[in-house]
Amino acid sequence: MLSIGEFARIAGVSVRMLRHYDRLGILVPARVDAHSGYRSYSSAQLPRANQLVALKDLGFSLEQVGSMLDDGLTAERVQVLLEVRRDVLRAQVAQDSLRLARIEAKLRLIEKGPIMSEFTETALPALTLVGVATSVASIDEIEGDIGPLFDRVNGAVDAVAATRVGPGVATYDVEGDGMRVVVGEQVGDAPVPAGLQRIDVAAADRAVSTRLEAPDLSGIQAAWQGLMGEVERRGARPAGAGREIYLQTPFDGPDASGWVIDLQQPVV
């Protein structure tokens, strides 16, 4: 038998909580000394203790935990519940990491101002993409979805073994009070893969362009702001969808590292 202190240590709970569980009848000692009142536990009670702690961490009340354990909740069911909770927490961590990256990028932008890069003025060709289009209220709504959208598009393209004839492209265009976002790949005249649509991007006689080369995408908003500042300095104004041409990504192969993206804004 194990003393209450020993059981608490290996079960990962406090002695105070074990006493509380005993009072609630959720996890009672295997034996209580009639004279001293000392509680003793058996190692055979550890699976129940583990399930109790796991269910409590999942957010269930102690009353709910007691009912679930008394109803014969299996270890397999607890595992499934924990896996679901794990996936939820992972998603929350990913979202928090994205928010943190945005905050750090905003701080850098406030401290240093828009990125001052080299700018060129050029005409842009028409593009034919296979991809997806979506509408958002602001760019913040799409930042975390660009990667998954490209994964979806590339998965569909790879499924039909279509040959790419150019780099991946994202476009951003004002649509009412919001924005229309297109994510696509260039596959020429190949059939449109299931789940995607053919999207034509109009040519532009005049555009201002810059190139972002960076290990991550945290500076892309600053790069766009620098580009728009250059548009104004040239006495021009935006006219049509801005383009991101993904010349290199960290996912292009084992030797790929960082991002190389041409930012292009049609102007008049």
Side-chain angles (χ1 to χ4, degrees):
M1 300 294 287
L2 300 170
S3 70
I4 188 171
E6 292 167 336
F7 189 82
R9 178 177 61 83
I10 60 176
V13 298
S14 67
V15 170
R16 181 181 63 82
M17 288 308 299
L18 280 179
R19 291 186 177 123
H20 185 52
Y21 297 153
D22 181 15
R23 288 192 294 271
L24 295 176
I26 299 175
L27 182 61
V28 299
R31 186 176 66 193
V32 178
D33 186 275
H35 299 290
S36 65
Y38 287 164
R39 298 170 173 84
S40 299
Y41 292 81
S42 166
S43 60
Q45 293 179 280
L46 286 170
R48 184 178 177 93
N50 292 336
Q51 291 184 352
L52 190 163
V53 172
L55 292 170
K56 186 169 174 287
D57 287 343
L58 285 169
F60 293 106
S61 69
L62 288 177
E63 182 179 356
Q64 291 171 320
V65 169
S67 297
M68 295 168 77
L69 293 177
D70 291 341
D71 289 343
L73 186 69
T74 64
E76 290 77 12
R77 178 57 180 161
V78 174
Q79 180 177 345
V80 169
L81 291 170
L82 283 172
E83 289 172 347
V84 170
R85 180 61 175 165
R86 176 198 62 194
D87 293 342
V88 170
L89 290 174
R90 280 179 174 172
Q92 290 176 353
V93 169
Q95 287 297 318
D96 287 343
S97 297
L98 180 60
R99 293 189 187 98
L100 179 59
R102 288 175 183 163
I103 290 171
E104 290 176 341
K106 293 288 188 185
L107 286 172
R108 288 194 294 271
L109 183 57
I110 291 170
E111 292 168 357
K112 300 179 181 179
I115 293 175
M116 300 307 294
S117 305
E118 293 186 4
F119 302 97
T120 59
E121 192 167 318
T122 183
L124 300 179
L127 300 177
T128 299
L129 310 176
V130 293
V132 294
T134 185
S135 296
V136 297
S138 69
I139 194 64
D140 285 350
E141 293 183 17
I142 197 66
E143 284 181 350
D145 296 330
I146 286 289
L149 285 175
F150 267 115
D151 290 342
R152 173 183 163 187
V153 171
N154 282 294
V157 169
D158 292 339
V160 298
T163 300
R164 294 167 178 79
V165 297
V169 177
T171 71
Y172 307 88
D173 200 8
V174 174
E175 184 180 62
D177 291 337
M179 185 178 302
R180 182 175 186 264
V181 180
V182 168
V183 170
E185 293 289 339
Q186 304 178 68
V187 296
D189 297 328
V192 179
L196 305 183
Q197 64 187 94
R198 192 174 298 279
I199 301 169
D200 293 319
V201 182
D205 294 332
R206 183 187 178 200
V208 180
S209 176
T210 190
R211 178 165 292 181
L212 175 69
E213 298 185 34
D216 57 48
L217 296 177
S218 61
I220 196 164
Q221 187 178 26
W224 269 114
Q225 291 185 12
L227 176 57
M228 289 305 188
E230 180 65 17
V231 168
E232 284 193 4
R233 281 189 289 273
R234 294 180 183 227
R237 58 183 176 83
R243 306 181 185 188
E244 291 176 356
I245 312 297
Y246 293 85
L247 303 175
Q248 176 183 300
T249 80
F251 315 109
D252 289 342
D255 297 328
S257 62
W259 299 82
V260 179
I261 308 171
D262 277 351
L263 311 182
Q264 302 170 342
Q265 179 58 58
V267 300
V268 292

